[in-house]
Amino acid sequence: MLTVDELPSRRLVEYEHVAGPEVVEDLFRLAEPLRGARVLHVNATAFGGGVAELLTSLVPLMRDAGLDCHWQVLEGPPEFFATTKTMHNALQGAEVCWSSAQAEIWRSVNRCNARAIDDSWDYVVVHDAQPAAILASAAMDNGVRPQGRWTWRCHVDLTDASSNVWNFLAPYVAGYDAGIFSMPDYVRPGLSLNSVRIVPPAIDPLSEKNRPVEKVVVRGVLERYGIDLNRPIMLQVSRFDPWKDPVGVIDAYRLARTEVRTLQLLMIGSMADDDPEGWEWYERTVAHAGGDEDIHVYTNLDGVNAHEVNCFQRAADVVVQNSTREGFGLVVSEALWKERPVVARDAGGIPIQIRHGESGHLITTSEECADSVVHYLKHPEERRAAGAAGRARVRDHFLITRYLGDYLALFNDLGRRPAAEVVERAGAPVLSAAAV
Ligand code: UDP
């Protein structure tokens, strides 16, 4: 596994003015019994997508709270990431062919990566399906389950998970002490874990992605990318991925443009290290744009990083999120925090962020998306009201301070440093050698 060590520094006291001093005080109180606890987060990529975004802020904040927190990323060949993308798609509801060869790639890469796990961790948090077999592999390698409390943190909407892949994955998940899901509906029936928590993700208001930026700087970034500052902007920020429906965004823009002839569409997507479909969907998007000069498609390879995304979100008149599946959709809270109205599909974690008619519109089709975009463009006072309501909702529910508190509470409840436990623990689901 690779250790992620280039992380921004974060100090909890700096969050007092955004979240409130009492919130920060509570966090230090929750962290006190955990002082010095060794915490390891494991996921599939250090860059691109919501999980990497969250860990980039959460790990330094856990450190500032007094925990000895680390982040490691799986290493694997391209066929492993192709396999895990298939898994990811299946867990979000796609019918896929899941072969024994794919299962073996997944298991063997997890086995190799598990060798890096030693017994020094008090808490290990394993994010999503890619590294889910790390616990079983480490247990089988050593003959005993590694010490510490193990949590499986699922960021994906499992509501319609394809049964062949979920039935394959479930025995690996069942070996964990705790599971964290973003929404109650995502907890699969029959999954028996000692502790299950519902914890929606959250944004870091002080990150480069979300901190305040002066208008003159925003304008400079837009000019650099050839965007006309005097014409309305519709924006979607997302990986190029079938579930984010980038082609449908273009359809909605074309419909909206019949009403607002000056509209521009800005589509920003990062190429995550663990997402092999990115280029294919980028090319489909560009092809669908068909050379329209008012459709601007950029990626991190064009220099669009956190600061530029921040500026684009601040400059947009309306932000859209056209996802047909969305575990949570951090981009929605990012835009709401910047007081943008958001028009988004009523999918996954989106409706807990957007109150329909208050901070944005929940839609189900490209036609509805276009209607809502046009509505906001024609009603600036509603845009402003939605922006204010959206920011308040994020401040109350979706800031990283709340997210950190949820983890600290879970760690406290799980208790610290249990004695080593053998693989076949009484009363807990058993992972057989054949499963690994
Ligand atoms: N993101 C980014 N650049 C891009 C596209 C996305 O920085 O070009 C970030 C976005 O700002 C958000 C995260 O990637 O912080 C995406 O998280 P989300 O939960 O919305 O979706 P996921 O990619 O995890 O499905």
Side-chain angles (χ1 to χ4, degrees):
M1 280 201 282
L2 289 172
T3 298
V4 182
D5 43 22
E6 271 184 38
L7 289 167
S9 76
R10 287 279 183 274
R11 300 206 50 225
L12 266 172
V13 288
E14 289 165 3
Y15 291 75
E16 282 181 351
H17 74 281
V18 193
E22 64 295 340
V23 169
V24 172
E25 205 176 292
D26 270 0
L27 289 172
F28 280 119
R29 191 182 45 73
L30 276 170
E32 190 47 45
L34 300 166
R35 183 154 287 281
R38 291 198 22 96
V39 178
L40 174 64
H41 289 273
V42 179
N43 83 318
T45 177
F47 174 78
V51 181
E53 185 80 19
L54 280 162
L55 291 176
T56 300
S57 293
L58 186 66
V59 171
L61 281 173
M62 282 193 171
R63 287 180 186 164
D64 191 56
L67 285 71
D68 183 13
C69 185
H70 298 260
W71 173 10
Q72 291 183 10
V73 171
L74 286 183
E75 285 180 283
E79 57 269 29
F80 171 73
F81 292 106
T83 297
T84 56
K85 188 70 201 279
T86 302
M87 248 179 152
H88 173 86
N89 287 341
L91 293 174
Q92 297 215 110
E95 282 308 318
V96 302
C97 171
W98 181 248
S99 66
S100 52
Q102 287 170 306
E104 188 41 39
I105 289 170
W106 182 74
R107 280 193 290 250
S108 67
V109 170
N110 267 268
R111 258 196 315 264
C112 291
N113 281 277
R115 294 192 189 117
I117 300 278
D118 61 24
D119 244 350
S120 67
W121 304 104
D122 292 294
Y123 301 97
V124 182
V125 184
V126 172
H127 295 259
D128 281 337
Q130 300 93 331
I134 287 272
L135 170 58
S137 304
M140 294 313 299
D141 265 1
N142 304 328
V144 288
R145 189 181 193 269
Q147 288 199 31
R149 289 303 190 199
W150 285 67
T151 298
W152 188 58
R153 201 308 176 212
C154 175
H155 296 266
V156 173
D157 177 352
L158 296 178
T159 322
D160 290 324
S162 171
S163 57
N164 56 348
V165 171
W166 174 251
N167 291 341
F168 169 78
L169 183 65
Y172 294 92
V173 172
Y176 285 74
D177 298 295
I180 303 180
F181 299 83
S182 297
M183 306 266 286
D185 289 354
Y186 298 178
V187 185
R188 297 292 301 172
L191 177 63
S192 83
L193 291 169
N194 291 338
S195 177
V196 169
R197 298 289 165 104
I198 306 303
V199 179
I203 63 157
D204 181 348
L206 303 189
S207 68
E208 205 177 359
K209 176 77 53 70
N210 298 313
R211 66 184 172 214
V213 182
E214 286 189 24
K215 285 204 172 100
V216 60
V217 176
V218 171
R219 280 201 292 274
V221 167
L222 264 79
E223 272 164 9
R224 181 145 50 90
Y225 285 91
I227 320 266
D228 187 341
L229 293 158
N230 300 312
R231 291 162 51 199
I233 300 167
M234 167 178 169
L235 167 74
Q236 174 158 304
V237 176
S238 274
R239 286 178 296 108
F240 290 102
D241 175 291
W243 305 99
K244 314 281 188 185
D245 193 12
V247 166
V249 174
I250 294 176
D251 293 339
Y253 151 82
R254 289 205 169 112
L255 288 170
R257 215 173 128 110
T258 60
E259 295 268 336
V260 181
R261 312 267 345 148
T262 52
L263 185 61
Q264 307 168 90
L265 174 63
L266 182 49
M267 299 185 73
I268 303 299
S270 54
M271 296 300 168
D273 296 338
D274 65 339
D275 185 355
E277 283 184 319
W279 283 112
E280 181 194 331
W281 278 88
Y282 168 82
E283 276 155 23
R284 281 194 201 200
T285 305
V286 170
H288 200 64
D292 182 335
E293 288 186 351
D294 286 326
I295 301 180
H296 303 266
V297 184
Y298 292 117
T299 74
N300 52 306
L301 301 180
D302 301 306
V304 176
N305 296 308
H307 170 67
E308 289 74 19
V309 171
N310 189 343
C311 293
F312 290 146
Q313 286 171 329
R314 285 177 192 283
D317 295 279
V318 183
V319 170
V320 297
Q321 193 56 39
N322 202 37
S323 312
T324 51
R325 278 266 185 273
E326 194 61 81
F328 178 70
L330 274 181
V331 279
V332 172
S333 276
E334 289 168 4
L336 294 175
W337 181 244
K338 294 164 190 125
E339 303 191 43
R340 304 293 98 191
V342 181
V343 173
R345 289 232 195 179
D346 190 356
I350 290 174
I352 59 169
Q353 300 175 74
I354 298 176
R355 289 252 173 85
H356 183 73
E358 212 175 282
S359 47
H361 284 177
L362 295 171
I363 48 95
T364 49
T365 62
S366 295
E367 290 76 17
E368 283 177 18
C369 180
D371 286 348
S372 290
V373 167
V374 169
H375 179 86
Y376 275 123
L377 292 177
K378 291 190 171 169
H379 296 89
E381 70 297 343
E382 275 194 46
R383 274 209 314 268
R384 274 191 291 279
R391 185 168 168 105
R393 181 143 186 87
V394 174
R395 184 173 37 241
D396 293 346
H397 300 283
F398 304 117
L399 290 185
I400 193 90
T401 36
R402 188 270 300 151
Y403 194 62
L404 171 64
D406 287 341
Y407 269 104
L408 298 177
L410 173 67
F411 291 168
N412 277 314
D413 289 352
L414 288 174
R416 196 159 161 189
R417 266 290 180 190
E421 294 164 305
V422 292
V423 180
E424 286 95 358
R425 290 169 301 151
V430 173
L431 280 163
S432 71
V436 179

